[in-house]
Amino acid sequence: MKKNLMKRILSMTLATVMSLSLCVPAFAEYGSTDTNHLCKEDAGSRNNSTNIDTSFDPEVQHETENTEDIAKYDGHLVNPDGSVSSVTIDDIDQIILERNKAILAGDTKRANQCQQRLINSGAKPSTPAELAPFSGGTDLAKQPSQRAFSGVSLDTTTYYVYVQGVRYLVKRTDARPTTESNLFHSASVNNKTISSSVSAGVYELLRAAGMAYLGAAYQDYNSYISAYDALRSAITGFAPSTTVYGITATYSCAALEQVSFYQYQDSHGYWTPFASSSYVQTGFGAVIYSTDYAGGRKTGLNMTVHALENTIYSTSSLNANHTGYDTSGILARYFTTYLFDKKSQVTSVSFFHNANGTKKTIKTFGMVCPTTTADIT
């Protein structure tokens, strides 16, 4: 009951904050990466495939493959017929990012379109056998593969990675998070007043950051909304140099965990689980009611601030494009210990003001960070 009430409150707040939804166009103004083309153009329609050598043994130490071979296989998906797809795991990551933006925005149609692109591109609904290594003791053989638990479905993608010049076959299983699951975190913080004494241009009104596994912080400082950006249209003479002493607003905060499980094929053909990872996509907006600033006080604003969107990763094995995790790096780390790796996880997310370096927290969520499918409810 409490969760449903909170979701209704958040839904109403987000609707006001983002002109009736947390929509992608609202994010675009603040520099979010445009991956829309990956939903418009089916990556899987690029039928550039190459037959693979099915006799390859992924744990036999071959000589380092040449550049041409690595380019052909590295990160590329494997089709059901055994050929190598032109689609890469990076393409899959881009579509997942766009799908989750749509989920946060409440745009079910768009989310479903992106989900279909994932399937067309090579991600397939996970089978009980693919889920079994991560079941946490759950008897998945008795459960439908499309709805394994609590309405959260999973998709599996098969692809190649290289570790020290050796090629490995990997299956990555990705959850499809829903707003009904424990992978969705939301809150509405009403009429909160935060004091400051800094210029409007450097007053970071909306900012989100995360804490990764083992306490390593990762913060996206490329995207924020300043007090000047938010208030310049409502206050005559308001300038970047204007000192802001306080703002009263209602804030809406949402965080969606994207969870993945990994397994690789050993030299005997067995699939060995080696890691789980998670990153968080956030939505953050506000309705400002009043502010105190050098030269006056403005009340009765009821002013919507466009939403801020961030994607928060652990720095551990983050890929070069900042669109997901580098599987080869995670697998290489696993090979040093042979312990299940969970370093590529975000353990908490905070929403805050950053008034000239002084964080003033609005809301913090602890993340689920699943290591088994049983952790998802």
Side-chain angles (χ1 to χ4, degrees):
M1 176 69 76
K2 182 178 179 182
K3 184 172 182 179
N4 289 336
L5 177 60
M6 183 60 69
K7 284 178 60 182
R8 288 197 297 270
I9 294 172
L10 176 69
S11 177
M12 290 186 290
T13 306
L14 287 175
T16 305
V17 167
M18 297 192 284
S19 301
L20 302 181
S21 75
L22 263 170
C23 61
V24 175
F27 300 147
E29 182 178 353
Y30 298 100
S32 61
T33 302
D34 179 13
T35 59
N36 202 38
H37 63 286
L38 284 169
C39 288
K40 291 179 179 177
E41 177 186 353
D42 177 8
S45 65
R46 295 171 288 174
N47 295 320
N48 233 353
S49 60
T50 306
N51 288 332
I52 64 172
D53 177 7
T54 56
S55 65
F56 177 76
D57 184 341
E59 282 203 332
V60 173
Q61 295 294 317
H62 295 270
E63 293 182 6
T64 302
E65 298 187 26
N66 61 41
T67 302
E68 183 179 347
D69 287 337
I70 292 176
K72 180 172 68 175
Y73 292 112
D74 193 21
H76 283 261
L77 273 58
V78 179
N79 295 319
D81 64 0
S83 61
V84 178
S85 173
S86 62
V87 179
T88 69
I89 195 64
D90 286 344
D91 294 331
I92 296 296
D93 284 335
Q94 291 279 4
I95 300 173
I96 289 175
L97 283 169
E98 191 65 28
R99 180 198 65 189
N100 290 356
K101 283 183 182 180
I103 292 171
L104 277 170
D107 188 345
T108 302
K109 180 179 178 181
R110 186 64 176 167
N112 289 340
Q113 288 173 342
C114 288
Q115 181 60 37
Q116 186 59 51
R117 298 305 185 273
L118 283 175
I119 299 302
N120 293 345
S121 298
K124 302 300 179 185
S126 302
T127 65
E130 289 167 339
L131 297 177
F134 306 102
S135 66
T138 303
D139 187 0
L140 289 168
K142 297 180 180 178
Q143 302 180 28
S145 60
Q146 293 259 25
R147 294 180 62 83
F149 26 75
S150 301
V152 176
S153 300
L154 297 105
D155 303 311
T156 296
T157 305
T158 304
Y159 57 104
Y160 285 113
V161 301
Y162 282 81
V163 176
Q164 296 183 343
V166 179
R167 178 161 35 108
Y168 295 88
L169 191 61
V170 168
K171 286 182 183 288
R172 191 184 81 185
T173 296
D174 302 315
R176 303 183 209 170
T178 72
T179 57
E180 302 298 325
S181 72
N182 65 344
L183 300 180
F184 178 67
H185 313 265
S186 64
S188 179
V189 181
N190 297 321
N191 297 314
K192 185 175 181 65
T193 300
I194 297 181
S195 61
S196 64
S197 183
V198 297
S199 60
V202 298
Y203 188 119
E204 296 171 2
L205 176 65
L206 301 182
R207 172 77 81 177
M211 187 67 69
Y213 182 73
L214 297 179
Y218 179 74
Q219 299 169 1
D220 179 3
Y221 283 115
N222 296 319
S223 182
Y224 71 92
I225 300 174
S226 71
Y228 172 69
D229 293 331
L231 295 168
R232 60 183 174 177
S233 64
I235 301 175
T236 302
F238 200 70
S241 59
T242 301
T243 300
V244 176
Y245 300 117
I247 292 176
T248 298
T250 288
Y251 299 92
S252 56
C253 314
L256 193 67
E257 285 186 78
Q258 179 56 54
V259 177
S260 299
F261 305 96
Y262 304 80
Q263 52 189 312
Y264 77 99
Q265 191 177 56
D266 66 19
S267 59
H268 303 289
Y270 294 112
W271 289 96
T272 302
F274 66 90
S276 62
S277 70
S278 66
Y279 63 84
V280 182
Q281 289 179 251
T282 66
F284 189 17
V287 178
I288 297 177
Y289 301 117
S290 64
T291 183
D292 293 295
Y293 60 96
R297 172 178 171 80
K298 191 76 170 180
T299 60
L301 285 170
N302 293 327
M303 183 177 181
T304 297
V305 180
H306 288 295
L308 176 72
E309 181 273 336
N310 270 335
T311 302
I312 299 170
Y313 300 92
S314 164
T315 52
S316 184
S317 299
L318 182 63
N319 69 24
N321 298 323
H322 285 211
T323 57
Y325 292 113
D326 175 21
T327 307
S328 62
I330 299 174
L331 185 55
R333 190 165 58 233
Y334 169 79
F335 285 152
T336 65
T337 63
Y338 287 92
L339 298 174
F340 190 85
D341 188 275
K342 55 183 181 178
K343 292 183 179 179
S344 297
Q345 292 181 331
V346 174
T347 59
S348 66
V349 170
S350 293
F351 299 84
F352 58 92
H353 284 247
N354 192 352
N356 199 24
T358 303
K359 289 185 183 180
K360 299 186 178 181
T361 300
I362 295 169
K363 184 67 180 179
T364 296
F365 296 120
M367 299 292 106
V368 179
C369 298
T371 54
T372 72
T373 56
D375 296 328
I376 302 174
T377 59

